Amino acid sequence: MSGLRGAGTGVGGILRKHWVMPAKGGDIGALRLLEGEISPPGFGELCVEVECVALNFADVFTVLGLYSPISSGEIQGRLCPGIEFSGRVVRVGQRGERREADSLQGEDQLRRGGQTVLLGDEVWEMAERASTNFRVGDRVMGCQRFGAMATAVNVPAHQVRKIPAGWTYQQGAAFPAQTLTAYFALKELGNIRAGKTVLIHSIGGGT
């Protein structure tokens, strides 16, 4: 994919292209395609060369500045949007390789090539264990809290799954967010069990 250089060297940063929205958003026309270097992945992270990115209702709200993490000021500065992607693993962070500190600052996200969220130690331990299941060349799909609209991303390994055999990259990119949303609604909120009746309505995105 154009714009990705240095991903397979094992040393140094990774040069990628990414879409960037201005601080607080507000105008889709203000999106700019820029090029910059991101850090190599640390232990627990995968660097994925992105093939496809899904476009969600939340992405539109994000760029317009209406999504709560943006409108509330929780996330500061410029930002690369995008929450789900598919692609190919090009580097796996190894034990002893330092990862960048989590941050809610958009400029840090652009430099790191990651997401804007603060993860606890237990979550990073989960990511470190998950990273041992992946190899360079694996076809994967995943979710992250912003940052997917790029030619490469660094993502915690527990937020990634291998694409099933026979699936396209397009199918992989379209699967994670909507599936996790449905699971959360039915299982975590609805406490669904065998024998329960479920009414499904307003199935379109953003409702």
Side-chain angles (χ1 to χ4, degrees):
M1 179 173 282
S2 63
L4 178 60
R5 299 199 294 277
T9 63
V11 295
I14 299 159
L15 191 62
R16 71 169 189 175
K17 292 180 180 178
H18 46 233
W19 287 99
V20 179
M21 55 178 274
K24 298 184 178 180
D27 181 6
I28 292 178
L31 277 170
R32 294 291 181 267
L33 183 61
L34 304 178
E35 187 174 270
E37 186 176 278
I38 61 173
S39 306
F43 185 40
E45 292 181 312
L46 309 174
C47 181
V48 177
E49 181 180 6
V50 175
E51 290 290 339
C52 290
V53 178
L55 181 63
N56 293 276
F57 199 78
D59 297 315
V60 177
F61 261 42
T62 296
V63 176
L64 291 177
L66 302 175
Y67 203 41
S68 58
I70 309 300
S71 61
S72 68
E74 175 190 354
I75 295 175
Q76 301 285 333
R78 301 183 307 159
L79 182 73
C80 176
I83 59 176
E84 57 183 343
F85 62 90
S86 66
R88 181 176 61 88
V89 176
V90 292
R91 200 184 296 185
V92 179
Q94 301 298 310
R95 187 178 299 276
E97 291 182 331
R98 185 181 67 87
R99 62 175 174 265
E100 299 284 343
D102 292 336
S103 173
L104 295 176
Q105 300 296 315
E107 294 296 334
D108 291 338
Q109 178 226 39
L110 295 176
R111 177 178 52 80
R112 295 170 57 240
Q115 57 187 351
T116 46
V117 67
L118 305 178
L119 301 180
D121 291 341
E122 290 185 1
V123 178
W124 274 115
E125 289 173 4
M126 185 188 312
E128 290 167 359
R129 291 193 298 270
S131 69
T132 63
N133 298 321
F134 294 94
R135 300 290 182 270
V136 171
D138 285 344
R139 298 171 68 247
V140 297
M141 56 188 178
C143 270
Q144 59 185 54
R145 194 175 191 235
F146 310 121
M149 291 187 179
T151 56
V153 295
N154 288 327
V155 59
H158 73 287
Q159 295 173 209
V160 172
R161 293 292 185 273
K162 293 179 183 178
I163 296 177
W167 282 28
T168 65
Y169 281 117
Q170 291 88 341
Q171 289 171 314
F175 182 80
Q178 53 88 15
T179 304
L180 288 171
T181 300
Y183 178 87
F184 180 75
L186 292 172
K187 181 68 174 177
E188 301 298 325
L189 299 181
N191 193 28
I192 191 171
R193 299 186 302 276
K196 288 281 188 177
T197 299
V198 178
L199 171 63
I200 299 176
H201 66 100
S202 300
I203 201 166
T207 55

